[in-house]
Amino acid sequence: MQMCVSVRTPKWVSSRRVLEQKLSQLHKCSNLSQVKQIHAQIIRANLHHDLYIVPKLVAALSLCRQLALAVNVFDQIQEPNVHLYNTMIRAHIQNSQTSQAFATFFNMQSNGVCPDNFTYSFLLKACYGRNWLPVVQMIHNHIEKFGFSSDIFVPNSLIDCYCKCGPLGVSEAKKVFNAMGVRDVVSWNSIIGGLVKVGELGEARQLFDEMPERDLVTWNTMLDGYSKARLMNEAFEFFQKMPERNVVSWSIIVAGYSKAGDMEMARMLFDKMPVKNLVTWTIIIAGYAEKGLAKEATSLYDEMEKVGLKPDEGTIISIMAACAESGLLGLGEKVHASIKRNRYKCSVQVSNSLVDMYAKCGSLNKAYEVFSRITNKDLVSWNAMLHGLAIHGHGEKALHLFSELKKEERLKPDPVTFIAVLCACTHAGLVEEGLRFFHSMESEYGIVPQVEHYGCVIDLLGRGGRLNEAFDLVNSMSLEPNAVIWGTLLGACRVHNDVNLAREVLDRLVKLEPSDPGNFSMLSNIYAAAGDWDSVANMRLLMRSTGIQKRSGASSIEVDDEVHEFTVFDESHPQSDKIYQMIGRLSQDLKRIGYFQK
């Protein structure tokens, strides 16, 4: 007779198994409530020192943006192993706490725990930009010292990181690439991508041709390089040679033609796309909007919504930026209406793009309405609203808004803020206030004035008739004055008919822009206003003899979702006869009420 013996599983084993089941996906969980519940269970089961469980918990808390709690969990481990240190380093980097990540790395070494290949790869992800090059070189030295160069994963990370540090970084990346005994497709793609990024298309193409095996990423990288360099003939030829294309390939070539201003070709390719996603629709709509082609942009936006695609943050920001650039208020309002209709919860970035669009299009009431509803305004919000008020001549309102900004304890004005403030003073004629703000930049806010700030102040003084002060300021600049600075001063000379100063300014300006016809034309106008017709004639002869021709100015207006552009004596518009008849009638009406053109 057999006896069945029942073996009871110890309670702590059972609880651990249950927890392990929950923990198997915990490192991917971003539900804070669920993570906290599991954390409580870990503590009750006395497993909060377990080196298998704790890294998963730290990773989960990191995903939930609970870094303080993650650090607390980490600090309770008396002897963390390399895996736990790596998890903590990665958590800091994922939450943009770079200095804490490196502090953990140095603490790891001081405690005698040797880094592994993952340690360096995580650290390298935090290094981006030219200023990080010395740090990347330091990590590279560590990698060589501890012998991790043979692990292909590490040099690949190193190449990718070096390529994010500008041209000098790409030079270092090439050394790493050339020293590799074994390379995979990631190695080749990383170095080709780095060369493309710094504009070394010839060398990138040479490596592309040498590459033993290419994937779609490789082809798209080269295509993107040609497109961004505006080499659209080469880009199209390359596009046609591609063995396969995905939606990214099509989006790159459409974006290339769009940025190059060839909307006909961009549209043809867009229409041929086998599959379109939201990114591609955004590219083509924004492309039309940037060119002021309101009907085409609006029509495509309606079509995009009809196929069931709703704008996301990237779409909204891109289209708003294009509308702000070209002044397409109608399309901007249509997108804003879609946001309201779809009950889209606007982020600060989306709200800022709306404020910027409305402000630049001159719809200041709507801009302020959006601005006032932003609960957590950042400095971009304030700057967009300030700039809108300033450029449209509402100087007093802009300065009042600036005084409100100064009350915000968590925000401090930056260089962009002061450009708006100085611009506001210029348009409102507040010379003394503008000078006071200019001098307070460095003394009160630690902001060193840049050439844009000097330009605003010189414009301010010039409009106020204080030309000698403006000239003295240009000569005392700590920066080298550019053509815009001298051009602004020359414009002020024209307004106040200061012929002598205008001659001296033009001498400086011609050295910077010897072939710009606008400068000579402006001096000619100054001579004409002063009645010096001999000098006018000499200036015109000089312009003819040197082949300099003044470009005609252009004006544009949006009517019924269509932008109409006009130049001087332009007769290309289909209704030009009616337009000139209306101008003639307006001229006669103005003369009747006593207006005479000077």
Side-chain angles (χ1 to χ4, degrees):
M1 180 179 174
Q2 279 187 323
M3 291 182 63
C4 293
V5 180
S6 174
V7 180
R8 179 178 292 179
T9 305
K11 190 175 182 180
W12 68 270
V13 174
S14 176
S15 63
R16 182 180 175 114
R17 284 177 181 169
V18 171
L19 266 176
E20 283 181 352
Q21 290 174 359
K22 293 181 179 179
L23 285 164
S24 62
Q25 295 298 316
L26 179 62
H27 63 291
K28 299 178 183 178
C29 180
S30 59
N31 185 318
L32 180 58
S33 176
Q34 186 179 346
V35 171
K36 283 185 173 181
Q37 287 177 10
I38 297 173
H39 187 191
Q41 291 175 359
I42 290 169
I43 293 170
R44 281 200 298 269
N46 198 28
L47 297 172
H48 53 288
H49 297 290
D50 191 301
L51 286 173
Y52 170 78
I53 291 174
V54 170
K56 293 180 180 293
L57 181 58
V58 168
L61 291 168
S62 169
L63 280 176
C64 298
R65 306 292 180 189
Q66 299 294 310
L67 257 291
L69 191 53
V71 170
N72 186 42
V73 170
F74 174 83
D75 288 343
Q76 291 181 38
I77 304 299
Q78 292 183 351
E79 295 183 0
N81 59 13
V82 65
H83 177 52
L84 181 54
Y85 270 115
N86 286 346
T87 305
M88 198 67 245
I89 288 169
R90 189 181 190 185
H92 282 305
I93 290 166
Q94 285 175 336
N95 287 269
S96 303
Q97 295 184 351
T98 307
S99 58
Q100 291 92 325
F102 277 92
T104 305
F105 171 67
F106 294 131
N107 182 46
M108 170 187 185
Q109 291 182 303
S110 65
N111 288 335
V113 179
C114 293
D116 63 8
N117 54 342
F118 292 106
T119 312
Y120 296 112
S121 297
F122 292 149
L123 287 172
L124 288 169
K125 288 185 182 297
C127 305
Y128 192 101
R130 298 185 183 192
N131 294 337
W132 281 95
L133 182 57
V135 179
V136 180
Q137 289 172 323
M138 180 269 290
I139 296 171
H140 188 181
N141 289 335
H142 274 255
I143 290 168
E144 295 290 344
K145 179 181 177 181
F146 291 106
F148 289 113
S149 295
S150 57
D151 182 347
I152 196 169
F153 181 69
V154 177
N156 280 352
S157 298
L158 200 52
I159 292 169
D160 179 64
C161 189
Y162 268 133
C163 288
K164 293 174 182 175
C165 297
L168 291 176
V170 172
S171 296
E172 294 296 319
K174 286 194 286 185
K175 293 176 186 176
V176 176
F177 178 80
N178 291 332
M180 291 177 72
V182 178
R183 302 169 185 141
D184 61 7
V185 70
V186 176
S187 319
W188 288 89
N189 284 346
S190 296
I191 192 64
I192 289 171
L195 289 165
V196 164
K197 194 176 291 183
V198 296
E200 297 289 344
L201 290 177
E203 195 171 351
R205 182 59 187 264
Q206 185 179 342
L207 283 175
F208 175 87
D209 292 336
E210 292 173 6
M211 193 171 174
E213 187 178 343
R214 310 176 191 101
D215 62 7
L216 193 51
V217 173
T218 323
W219 283 91
N220 283 341
T221 300
M222 279 305 307
L223 179 64
D224 191 47
Y226 285 128
S227 294
K228 284 180 177 173
R230 304 287 186 271
L231 300 172
M232 295 315 299
N233 289 335
E234 291 86 341
F236 188 68
E237 182 183 347
F238 192 83
F239 180 75
Q240 289 182 306
K241 289 180 180 177
M242 292 179 71
E244 60 174 319
R245 306 177 189 121
N246 60 4
V247 70
V248 175
S249 319
W250 286 92
S251 297
I252 289 169
I253 196 73
V254 170
Y257 277 110
S258 176
K259 291 294 181 184
D262 189 348
M263 292 309 300
E264 186 177 347
M265 190 67 174
R267 182 60 184 270
M268 184 269 289
L269 288 163
F270 174 80
D271 290 339
K272 283 189 173 184
M273 284 183 69
V275 178
K276 303 178 181 74
N277 62 10
L278 190 58
V279 172
T280 324
W281 282 95
T282 302
I283 289 167
I284 194 73
I285 293 168
Y288 276 121
E290 282 175 5
K291 307 299 177 295
L293 300 169
K295 276 190 175 178
E296 292 85 347
T298 304
S299 173
L300 276 170
Y301 186 80
D302 289 337
E303 193 177 333
M304 182 187 82
E305 289 198 313
K306 283 178 184 176
V307 299
L309 291 173
K310 295 179 181 178
D312 64 2
E313 184 167 308
T315 300
I316 295 165
I317 292 173
S318 295
I319 296 177
M320 288 299 106
C323 291
E325 186 71 23
S326 58
L328 292 188
L329 178 61
L331 178 59
E333 288 177 326
K334 179 178 277 290
V335 178
H336 194 189
S338 295
I339 293 170
K340 291 176 179 177
R341 186 172 61 253
N342 295 322
R343 295 181 179 179
Y344 181 84
K345 189 175 180 180
C346 292
S347 65
V348 175
Q349 289 75 21
V350 168
S351 297
N352 289 347
S353 70
L354 288 167
V355 172
D356 186 57
M357 182 276 298
Y358 278 125
K360 286 181 178 174
C361 290
S363 186
L364 295 176
N365 288 336
K366 288 188 176 180
Y368 191 78
E369 183 183 326
V370 177
F371 172 80
S372 61
R373 288 180 180 174
I374 303 174
T375 52
N376 295 311
K377 298 179 184 70
D378 60 13
L379 197 55
V380 176
S381 318
W382 290 90
N383 287 347
M385 195 66 238
L386 277 168
H387 188 69
L389 290 168
I391 61 174
H392 292 291
H394 297 274
E396 297 285 357
K397 289 182 180 179
L399 295 183
H400 175 72
L401 191 67
F402 179 63
S403 66
E404 293 296 313
L405 168 60
K406 290 194 290 185
K407 295 175 186 176
E408 292 281 335
E409 293 182 0
R410 61 187 181 85
L411 297 175
K412 290 184 179 180
D414 68 355
V416 177
T417 313
F418 277 99
I419 290 173
V421 169
L422 294 171
C423 181
C425 293
T426 299
H427 286 286
L430 303 171
V431 180
E432 294 302 328
E433 288 87 340
L435 290 172
R436 181 168 55 81
F437 283 125
F438 178 71
H439 293 303
S440 72
M441 285 176 60
E442 194 163 4
S443 60
E444 293 184 30
Y445 299 95
I447 299 171
V448 178
Q450 298 301 307
V451 69
E452 295 85 1
H453 302 105
Y454 280 103
C456 290
V457 177
I458 288 156
D459 190 23
L460 175 70
L461 291 168
R463 292 188 188 214
R466 295 159 67 164
L467 300 181
N468 290 330
E469 284 183 61
F471 187 68
D472 290 341
L473 180 61
V474 175
N475 288 323
S476 65
M477 282 175 60
S478 57
L479 303 161
E480 189 68 29
N482 60 15
V484 176
I485 295 288
W486 289 114
T488 301
L489 188 52
L490 184 62
C493 291
R494 179 189 176 186
V495 172
H496 297 284
N497 294 328
D498 192 328
V499 177
N500 293 328
L501 185 57
R503 286 196 191 100
E504 191 169 351
V505 171
L506 185 66
D507 287 340
R508 309 283 186 95
L509 198 49
V510 168
K511 291 177 182 176
L512 295 171
E513 292 184 334
S515 59
D516 188 341
N519 301 326
F520 295 93
S521 179
M522 192 177 293
L523 185 57
S524 175
N525 291 333
I526 293 170
Y527 286 139
D532 187 353
W533 299 108
D534 290 339
S535 295
V536 171
N538 290 335
M539 187 59 65
R540 295 293 179 184
L541 285 171
L542 175 64
M543 291 175 69
R544 283 181 194 169
S545 65
T546 54
I548 296 172
Q549 291 186 344
K550 184 178 182 295
R551 293 184 297 271
S552 298
S555 300
S556 60
I557 184 171
E558 181 183 357
V559 179
D560 296 331
D561 291 332
E562 186 171 1
V563 175
H564 303 265
E565 185 173 271
F566 303 94
T567 57
V568 179
F569 302 120
D570 179 24
E571 295 183 357
S572 61
H573 194 277
Q575 298 186 52
S576 60
D577 291 341
K578 292 181 180 179
I579 291 167
Y580 280 112
Q581 287 174 14
M582 176 60 73
I583 291 172
R585 287 202 296 270
L586 285 171
S587 298
Q588 291 173 4
D589 292 341
L590 288 169
K591 286 178 182 177
R592 285 196 202 101
I593 62 173
Y595 173 79
F596 295 95
Q597 187 176 8
K598 293 183 181 180

